[in-house]
């Protein structure tokens, strides 16, 4: 299985517009973070998780022209507002795309992007998505996906385990219950929320994330949804073995772990 980190930045992206802090003004390209998204590839199957506002650049960078499905973690703007850029995928595939999410997530997307869930259109003026409500583990071709619930401030998000614990994705969470930890335990690769050093009501900070990692014990943990509190080089040097900061464009083959 191959996981590509398409974006690892918090909702504002890094640099944040107008911010003059050291990280936002840094020359280190590793401190430039698009809004969070990953691509999961398994055999011939390619699944995109979320449609960030940076989706166009992300699809271009990863040279993606077809997808077997889009999986949504939740409906927040930084995870959904790039939805229109799926038009290019519809165009190249000449087909509608399956969009997976909980009933609540799909409802929130359909309220705001009703036009994207219509019947396929000849010229792909708008995306064409088929809502696929998640009710439990599901499959996209040979890719097995196991969803689980995560606490995200006053709301909930969906985390996902891919394959037989080959990889997992936990963005936008400030708390994980025991069921979630059990579902994740022993996963090879875990891409996991870590906003910064300071505590935040709807995201994990470094202390919380490292605590989760100790319980889940992945072979490799990659931090994501990172804000400008994190300078890549500084954070890299602080992290324990087996934990790395996210990096846009990072590709991990789980067979190598
Ligand atoms: Zn800044
Ligand atoms: Zn969110
Ligand atoms: Zn977010």
């Amino acid at each position: 299985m191959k996981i590509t980190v398409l974006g690892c930045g918090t909702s504002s992206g890094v640099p944040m517009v107008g911010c003059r802090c050291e990280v936002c003004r840094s020359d280190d390209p590793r401190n430039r973070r698009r809004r969070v998204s990953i691509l999961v590839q398994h055999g011939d199957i390619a699944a995109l998780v979320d449609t960030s506002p940076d989706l166009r650049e992300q699809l271009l960078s990863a040279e993606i022209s077809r997808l077997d499905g889009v999986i949504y973690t939740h409906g927040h703007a930084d995870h959904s507002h790039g939805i229109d850029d799926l038009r290019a995928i519809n165009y190249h595939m000449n087909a509608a795309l399956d969009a997976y999410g909980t009933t609540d997530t799909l409802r929130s997307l359909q309220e705001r992007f009703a036009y994207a869930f219509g019947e396929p259109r000849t010229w792909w003026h708008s995306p064409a998505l088929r809502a696929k409500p998640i009710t439990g583990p599901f499959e996209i071709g040979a890719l097995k996906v196991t969803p689980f619930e995560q606490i995200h401030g006053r709301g909930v998000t969906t985390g996902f385990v891919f394959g037989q614990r080959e990889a997992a994705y936990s963005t936008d969470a400030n708390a994980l219950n025991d069921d979630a930890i059990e579902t994740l335990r022993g996963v090879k690769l875990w891409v996991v929320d870590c906003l910064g050093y300071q505590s935040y009501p709807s995201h994990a900070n470094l202390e919380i994330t490292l605590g989760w990692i100790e319980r889940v014990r992945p072979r490799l943990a990659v931090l994501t949804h990172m804000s400008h509190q994190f300078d890549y080089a500084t954070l890299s040097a602080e992290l324990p073995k087996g934990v790395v900061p996210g990096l846009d464009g990072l590709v991990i083959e789980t067979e190598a772990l």
Side-chain angles (χ1 to χ4, degrees), residues 100-123:
Y100 299 85
T102 62
T103 313
D104 282 352
T105 295
L106 290 174
R107 189 186 303 121
S108 123
L109 293 172
Q110 284 170 304
E111 275 169 16
R112 285 172 294 142
F113 308 107
Y115 62 88
F117 288 85
E119 284 300 305
R121 293 154 187 82
T122 318
W123 297 102

Side-chain angles (χ1 to χ4, degrees), residues 16 19-21 24 228:
M16 179 183 159
C19 184
R20 304 293 298 158
C21 81
C24 288
H228 59 174

Side-chain angles (χ1 to χ4, degrees), residues 34-111:
R34 293 171 182 171
R35 269 61 69 86
V36 294
S37 179
I38 61 167
L39 179 72
V40 183
Q41 288 170 287
H42 178 59
D44 295 341
I45 300 296
L48 175 71
V49 183
D50 291 334
T51 50
S52 99
D54 297 312
L55 185 60
R56 178 175 169 276
E57 292 289 348
Q58 291 166 331
L59 295 174
L60 286 170
S61 296
E63 299 183 357
I64 299 165
S65 60
R66 57 167 297 280
L67 290 168
D68 296 286
V70 182
I71 306 171
Y72 281 98
T73 59
H74 64 312
H76 280 170
D78 54 323
H79 299 256
S80 62
H81 281 197
I83 198 166
D84 279 44
D85 292 329
L86 290 175
R87 281 186 307 150
I89 306 294
N90 289 133
Y91 171 79
H92 290 297
M93 297 180 68
N94 199 27
L97 264 175
D98 291 337
Y100 299 85
T102 62
T103 313
D104 282 352
T105 295
L106 290 174
R107 189 186 303 121
S108 123
L109 293 172
Q110 284 170 304
E111 275 169 16

